């Protein structure tokens, strides 16, 4: 059964690397559900977290192919039981009336989120959580009126001494 | 002068789209400093946030090229003064001794971050902020001992009624 899996990739931080990685997924017609990329401590390297729908055999092939790439330093399929998987959401809610404002604050506070901007018509809030928690938050606030949203995609680290 | 700019892109959520976008940046030798991609409400669409080093003229060309792409529904260069730009960091710190644990808690609490996992040897924490604040947090905690870190890259929304 194909299910969502998460892969962490340590790459050289230079032009074309994202292209090469994206090309590998495209050639095999895998849809990248989410991707997040940021520099690591040593700014010559970047860390990508890719979430993709694939069965176990496909996933092994993906990891093998990535591992062969010149720009890829390390690649690892993350075990959900041994990893922390998190995502950030920015959402703009239509809070023209006081009831909507109150409800927005209630939901954001319940998830320990942050109110980042308020004007008479809308509120921009930030919420973090596991991807399913972000989905739930979106469902909860949908009735208020979502003007716009932006998700970071999953980022992940293994627990304890396990390391990419 | 080339400086870091942020572009929001609404795209069709299907295989090959990331490849096409990455290809456009590669052909022009622009290095994507960070990218984050996640589905939007309507799961047939995804929203990408790309941070790239480019001067104003280059940036106009990038937006123009992206706008021509079939899979791109909307593209907008975000004005930093009118936008919320945020990033999430996961960091694993070496907290084998009590002093290191205490210092880690102090830094994470000061930034209203979350402790996501603790074991006898290390702590995994989550912190959000503007990209510069994430840089600062990394500098502050470096002396403790960073085992591993993963950044989501920037995600952004415009303030108020402005919309992609």
């Amino acid at each position: 059964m194909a299910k969502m899996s998460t892969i962490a990739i340590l790459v050289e931080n230079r032009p074309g690397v994202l292209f090469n990685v994206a090309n590998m997924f495209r050639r095999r017609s895998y849809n990248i559900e989410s991707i997040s990329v940021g520099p690591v401590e040593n700014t010559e390297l970047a860390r990508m977290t890719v979430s993709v729908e694939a069965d176990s055999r496909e996933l092994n092939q993906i990891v093998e192919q990535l591992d062969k790439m010149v720009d890829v330093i390390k690649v690892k399929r993350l075990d959900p039981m041994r990893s922390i998987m998190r995502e950030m959401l920015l959402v703009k809610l239509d809070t023209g009336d006081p009831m909507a404002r109150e409800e927005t604050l209630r939901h954001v506070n319940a998830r320990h989120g942050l109110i980042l901007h308020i004007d008479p018509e809308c509120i921009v809030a930030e919420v973090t959580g596991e991807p399913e928690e972000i989905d739930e938050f979106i469902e909860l606030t949908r009735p208020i009126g979502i003007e716009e949203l932006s998700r970071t995609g999953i980022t992940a680290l293994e627990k304890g001494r396990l390391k990419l």
Side-chain angles (χ1 to χ4, degrees), chain A:
Chain A
M1 254 297 284
K3 59 177 181 55
M4 204 58 73
S5 296
T6 303
I7 300 167
I9 318 167
L10 195 65
V11 297
E12 302 281 353
N13 192 5
R14 60 179 171 224
V17 177
L18 179 68
F19 167 83
N20 290 334
V21 170
N23 194 17
M24 197 284 296
F25 282 92
R26 182 195 64 109
R27 282 204 316 267
R28 284 162 186 77
S29 291
Y30 294 125
N31 193 20
I32 294 177
E33 175 67 17
S34 89
I35 184 167
S36 66
V37 186
V40 292
E41 267 196 284
N42 169 345
T43 53
E44 282 157 33
L45 302 180
R47 184 175 170 132
M48 296 187 182
T49 309
V50 177
S51 157
V52 65
E53 208 172 272
D55 63 29
S56 192
R57 197 177 135 212
E58 291 169 329
L59 216 59
N60 288 339
Q61 285 174 349
I62 290 171
V63 169
E64 205 175 284
Q65 290 296 320
L66 288 169
D67 210 17
K68 279 185 196 159
M69 289 171 51
V70 177
D71 296 320
V72 170
I73 291 159
K74 280 181 193 168
V75 55
K76 196 170 185 178
R77 174 182 169 178
L78 300 183
D79 178 347
M81 301 302 292
R82 299 184 185 186
S83 305
I84 308 280
M85 308 222 180
R86 304 285 291 181
E87 192 171 4
M88 182 169 72
L89 165 76
L90 295 183
V91 61
K92 189 191 294 174
L93 291 159
D94 183 350
T95 52
D97 74 279
M99 285 283 281
R101 274 200 296 282
E102 234 169 84
E103 214 183 326
T104 297
L105 295 179
R106 194 165 53 81
H107 287 305
V108 173
N109 291 339
R111 276 231 55 87
H112 304 289
L114 295 172
I115 302 290
L116 297 176
H117 193 257
I118 308 182
D119 71 15
E121 290 178 324
C122 46
I123 284 177
V124 177
E126 170 191 293
V127 162
T128 68
E130 294 174 16
E132 300 73 25
E133 293 172 321
I134 300 294
D135 291 341
E136 277 168 30
F137 183 85
I138 291 170
E139 284 315 310
L140 274 172
T141 52
R142 192 189 301 281
I144 298 171
I146 296 175
E147 288 285 316
E148 235 186 341
L149 66 81
S150 192
R151 299 172 73 146
T152 56
I154 295 170
T155 194
L157 282 184
E158 288 169 295
K159 296 174 188 170
R161 282 285 168 203
L162 288 171
K163 232 174 136 172
L164 177 59

